[in-house]
Amino acid sequence: MNSSLHNIRFTGTQINYFFLCKKKLWYFSHDIQMEQNSDAVYLGKLIHETSYEREKKEIDIDDTIKIDFIGNDRVIHEVKKSDKVEEPHIWQLKYYIWYLKQKGADGITGKINYPKLRKTLDVFLEPEDEEKIQSILKEIQGIINTELPPAVERMKMCRNCSYGDICWV
Ligand code: SF4
């Protein structure tokens, strides 16, 4: 195993939250997990269960990354319920490809499946992405090491966030 993987146990959800909201990342990483009650998450699970049923699904690697399914030609797939393509989705998948590369699996590419949009997006790990991922991981470590959640501005997505009740009392 590549030495850069030592001590890295960040999940795809953490990478996703890093881009969405640093406070959400902190709550989630401190085991304050309220997402199970969210309608949006329920919908996401439902889409996972009903989409691409013929494919092999949910491959757990090291209790760290969960690949939705692996298709032909070394392509890993991530299924997103969203009705728009978002940057966090892309970085989550780039992270998975990077993670697998650290474990010696070269030549992996990714595909994000958007059932609601009826489209797919190809994702590749570019050489410059590897440096960015290393710095994201360092930043995540810094955020979750703090005693209190970071201060963030209220934003549009707060309205539908399950942490809203503890963020904005
Ligand atoms: S309510 Fe807003 S600030 Fe709080 S965790 Fe959710 S998205 Fe972040």
Side-chain angles (χ1 to χ4, degrees):
M1 185 186 292
N2 186 304
S3 60
S4 56
L5 253 194
H6 287 166
N7 302 321
I8 293 171
R9 284 291 176 269
F10 297 130
T11 65
T13 302
Q14 285 172 301
I15 302 294
N16 197 302
Y17 287 177
F18 173 82
F19 286 94
L20 286 177
C21 172
K22 310 274 188 291
K23 204 169 190 178
K24 191 168 173 136
L25 167 66
W26 189 93
Y27 285 138
F28 179 83
S29 305
H30 285 256
D31 283 331
I32 304 168
Q33 298 182 16
M34 303 172 80
E35 290 284 20
Q36 290 79 354
N37 301 325
S38 148
D39 285 350
V41 169
Y42 174 72
L43 180 62
K45 284 188 177 142
L46 203 63
I47 284 177
H48 266 97
E49 281 157 17
T50 55
S51 306
Y52 311 101
E53 274 177 351
R54 279 166 297 169
E55 309 286 348
K56 188 175 185 330
K57 287 195 288 185
E58 286 264 307
I59 299 141
D60 192 319
I61 297 172
D62 300 340
D63 270 339
T64 303
I65 63 169
K66 269 200 178 87
I67 294 166
D68 284 342
F69 64 89
I70 300 179
N72 295 328
D73 301 327
R74 302 169 79 82
V75 181
I76 59 173
H77 289 251
E78 176 73 10
V79 182
K80 292 294 185 194
K81 65 173 174 53
S82 173
D83 53 12
K84 59 179 187 293
V85 173
E86 292 174 40
E87 195 191 13
H89 304 161
I90 296 169
W91 280 103
Q92 184 176 343
L93 202 45
K94 280 180 186 279
Y95 173 60
Y96 288 174
I97 298 169
W98 176 85
Y99 190 94
L100 292 170
K101 188 173 175 188
Q102 309 313 301
K103 290 180 76 73
D106 276 321
I108 305 280
T109 62
K111 205 177 268 288
I112 308 175
N113 300 67
Y114 290 96
K116 269 179 153 180
L117 293 174
R118 294 177 185 274
K119 74 177 276 187
T120 59
L121 180 75
D122 292 323
V123 175
F124 304 94
L125 184 71
E126 307 293 351
E128 63 271 22
D129 296 335
E130 303 200 33
E131 210 171 301
K132 178 158 174 166
I133 287 170
Q134 303 263 17
S135 91
I136 288 170
L137 297 178
K138 270 194 208 132
E139 224 182 305
I140 290 177
Q141 191 67 64
I143 290 166
I144 66 181
N145 278 352
T146 59
E147 207 169 311
L148 293 171
V152 299
E153 295 279 319
R154 200 168 182 146
M155 55 194 126
K156 204 172 159 194
M157 66 173 274
C158 296
R159 275 183 291 171
N160 297 318
C161 176
S162 58
Y163 292 112
D165 286 347
I166 54 172
C167 265
W168 312 106
V169 285

